[in-house]
Amino acid sequence: MAVNPSKRDRIPKGQLSYEELLEFVDAFPALLWRIDLVNNKIEYLNSYRIEPLGTRCGLLLQNKAFRRQHVVEEDVYLLDDFMEAVRSEETAATIFRLKGGESPRWIKVTGVLDPKNPRSFIGYMLDASSTAGIVQSIFENDAEIEAMIELVDNPALLVDPRNRTVMAYNAAARETFLYKPGEFPRLKFTDLCHQSIDHHLDHLFEELVFEKQWDGRLIFQRRDRSVFAASARMRLFYCKGRRVIRVAIHDMTVEDDILRNIAGAGPPPSDPATPFRQQAKELMTKVAKVKDIHRVLQILLENQPDPESFDAIIYSDIYARKNKVVVYTAGKAFRPLPQGEVYAYEGTIAENIDRFKLEHLIVDDTFASIKAIDWALFIPHGIRSYFAKPFYERNTIRSVLILCSVNSGHFSSRKLEEYAVYYDPFLRGMKNWRKEIRQRKKGRSG
């Protein structure tokens, strides 16, 4: 691609122009990729092909079944371990062999956390057959100040003790507090806390000056004004000649005794907006005495405010400690799926939601996902997008209601009030169903 000479003159010597960079990416002899760690979504940055898989080579990163089909059996664990490192936000590299052909094709894959965007993991995959003597290697991250928080799973912040402004944050913090990247640098730590603890924060920062550390429970507030409680570990230290407070947030909950006396605590009201209240009332009447969970889901599916709203519905019964999720469905797409099908909790929607204590999760394109459940459950049944709403019991995620569409990009955060129509009727039907199961068990034992 030709570059305008006048524009080239303005580019500092030794730097690539935008056009030259695009040409470089397109011509780079490897498949370049980027993963959104929060939304578990992969994007390919060029169209490089690795034979014999061709355009399907990217599925080695996305689909475990595809991986086992095409990777030499003894090497599958290498790629599995690499993807586990990606999920743990660890820089990693590996080399493995593809099946087929007279001699094996050696494939190298490398990934690193994006230093400019801690929610992204970037890397490449290439055919390294000509240098098959390459050994596995792991790259070391630069010891920059942001590295103190980028590589941890829980929300973490760096705060300037002089003015209490947020200096840096990781992907988990952004997902938890719902702020956009450009908004975080304008925030103070107090903006992330509920006003009820303002007086406590002054004492907290004074204690940090003398004790250098503080551990305790705080009440935080998201961008959407929803409130949650969490444990905070704060440390004051010197880094590169300046004082910095590192804040690590863990054990988040929306069901906590310290929240009960706060007006408006917890997530935004789940009541549907006025135009949908009648619909919600009618749904509640229809499920009031229904004791079969499949029938409950079918009623929700057949009574939508918008007939084109969604094509199928799922209820995930969560048993995180047992690493088990039991799935119940309604809708044409899931007719071949037996009711009560069991999946592993690891890699599910519930695990991702609970990790970041999300109010909801919207997946626009399941084919761009790296979550195991998307490839095991949604994609085989033709589901391209979905909206998931979690429900907690005693501070433990127990249920997820999932509205599914065969079209990509079908759900929007602008329709949250419409989706709220289904929450209370679903909970009523689920309660009826669980009570019926308990009574049956009691009857058998008696």
Side-chain angles (χ1 to χ4, degrees):
M1 183 181 294
V3 179
N4 188 313
S6 62
K7 292 184 178 180
R8 187 188 297 273
D9 292 341
R10 294 195 295 269
I11 299 172
K13 187 177 180 180
Q15 291 189 16
L16 291 175
S17 68
Y18 178 71
E19 291 82 1
E20 288 172 330
L21 181 60
L22 289 180
E23 291 175 355
F24 171 79
V25 169
D26 190 54
F28 193 73
L31 179 66
L32 300 174
W33 48 266
R34 175 170 58 198
I35 290 176
D36 183 328
L37 294 169
V38 175
N39 294 311
N40 292 285
K41 179 179 180 181
I42 192 167
E43 174 186 7
Y44 300 104
L45 306 180
N46 63 1
S47 56
Y48 183 79
R49 300 185 179 191
I50 294 177
E51 301 303 335
L53 299 180
T55 57
R56 300 184 301 158
C57 59
L59 290 176
L60 291 170
L61 304 177
Q62 294 181 251
N63 192 336
K64 281 189 176 181
F66 187 86
R67 195 178 303 160
R68 279 152 179 70
Q69 181 181 355
H70 294 282
V71 175
V72 172
E73 184 176 355
E74 297 88 343
D75 293 356
V76 170
Y77 82 95
L78 297 171
L79 192 49
D80 285 346
D81 287 350
F82 174 83
M83 292 308 298
E84 187 60 36
V86 171
R87 295 186 186 94
S88 300
E89 303 177 19
E90 299 173 0
T91 297
T94 196
I95 189 167
F96 58 90
R97 294 164 293 170
L98 290 181
K99 294 178 181 178
E102 297 180 359
S103 59
R105 301 189 73 88
W106 291 81
I107 308 300
K108 180 179 180 180
V109 59
T110 299
V112 62
L113 198 69
D114 186 345
K116 302 263 185 185
N117 182 4
R119 72 173 287 167
S120 293
F121 207 91
I122 55 178
Y124 64 84
M125 182 164 56
L126 56 78
D127 188 334
S129 300
S130 61
T131 54
I134 295 176
V135 295
Q136 301 175 54
S137 61
I138 297 180
F139 297 103
E140 294 183 356
N141 267 337
D142 292 334
E144 297 294 333
I145 189 170
E146 289 83 2
M148 299 173 189
I149 59 174
E150 285 177 352
L151 299 179
V152 296
D153 291 332
N154 56 297
L157 308 162
L158 296 181
V159 177
D160 188 332
R162 297 171 300 176
N163 51 24
R164 304 181 186 179
T165 57
V166 176
M167 300 168 57
Y169 56 92
N170 65 356
R174 192 173 83 174
E175 184 63 28
T176 297
F177 288 101
L178 305 178
Y179 283 97
K180 298 177 181 179
E183 296 173 327
F184 249 112
R186 299 194 297 267
L187 295 175
K188 291 189 175 184
F189 182 72
T190 50
D191 295 325
L192 304 176
C193 299
H194 191 266
Q195 60 183 7
S196 64
I197 64 169
D198 283 350
H199 65 288
H200 178 59
L201 291 178
D202 291 333
H203 175 72
L204 186 159
F205 277 94
E206 288 177 4
E207 184 175 337
L208 274 171
V209 172
F210 296 101
E211 303 295 334
K212 310 302 181 187
Q213 64 182 22
W214 184 89
D215 292 88
R217 297 285 287 178
L218 293 176
I219 304 175
F220 293 97
Q221 183 168 278
R222 296 184 174 93
R223 186 176 184 271
D224 66 1
R225 314 300 293 178
S226 60
V227 178
F228 66 94
S231 295
R233 178 170 298 162
M234 304 177 70
R235 298 290 182 269
L236 178 67
F237 60 94
Y238 281 89
C239 182
K240 296 185 176 182
R242 65 184 303 184
R243 292 194 304 169
V244 176
I245 297 174
R246 184 185 188 275
V247 183
I249 301 170
H250 54 98
D251 295 333
M252 295 177 289
T253 175
V254 293
E255 295 183 0
D256 194 294
D257 290 339
I258 65 175
L259 296 176
R260 303 190 190 283
N261 296 325
I262 299 176
S270 60
D271 292 337
T274 302
F276 304 108
R277 285 178 182 168
Q278 183 59 34
Q279 184 77 19
K281 185 177 179 180
E282 293 174 1
L283 274 176
M284 186 66 81
T285 300
K286 291 181 179 181
V287 303
K289 298 182 179 180
V290 178
K291 301 177 181 179
D292 178 76
I293 193 61
H294 173 67
R295 181 57 190 153
V296 170
L297 299 178
Q298 194 68 38
I299 290 172
L300 301 184
L301 179 65
E302 294 173 352
N303 295 269
Q304 304 180 43
D306 179 358
E308 304 300 323
S309 181
F310 55 90
D311 302 295
I313 191 168
I314 293 177
Y315 156 47
S316 292
D317 195 12
I318 313 299
Y319 301 87
R321 292 184 179 179
K322 297 181 180 180
N323 191 31
K324 183 174 72 171
V325 174
V326 186
V327 171
Y328 303 89
T329 67
K332 182 178 179 181
F334 294 114
R335 282 178 185 169
L337 188 70
Q339 297 294 325
E341 191 79 351
V342 178
Y343 296 87
Y345 174 74
E346 182 179 352
T348 61
I349 296 168
E351 182 189 40
N352 199 58
I353 286 175
D354 195 40
R355 176 187 174 189
F356 295 107
K357 289 295 182 287
L358 303 178
E359 302 293 348
H360 64 269
L361 176 67
I362 294 177
V363 170
D364 291 323
D365 187 358
T366 54
F367 274 107
S369 174
I370 61 170
K371 288 199 300 296
I373 195 66
D374 287 346
W375 289 90
L377 176 59
F378 293 96
I379 291 174
H381 293 91
I383 300 303
R384 293 297 303 275
S385 62
Y386 57 79
F387 168 85
K389 172 67 178 179
F391 298 93
Y392 290 80
E393 297 176 17
R394 295 183 294 278
N395 198 34
T396 300
I397 189 167
R398 279 289 284 116
S399 309
V400 180
L401 180 67
I402 311 169
L403 312 182
C404 307
S405 174
V406 297
N407 300 311
S408 59
H410 187 78
F411 298 95
S412 169
S413 58
R414 294 191 299 271
K415 292 187 175 181
L416 294 180
E417 292 178 332
E418 179 180 327
Y419 306 148
V421 166
Y422 309 103
Y423 300 166
D424 286 342
F426 163 69
L427 292 174
R428 171 64 66 83
M430 182 180 65
K431 183 178 181 181
N432 294 345
W433 171 68
R434 287 180 176 175
K435 182 178 180 180
E436 176 70 8
I437 291 177
R438 288 194 299 270
Q439 289 179 343
R440 289 178 183 176
K441 291 181 177 179
K442 185 177 180 180
R444 288 197 295 268
S445 62

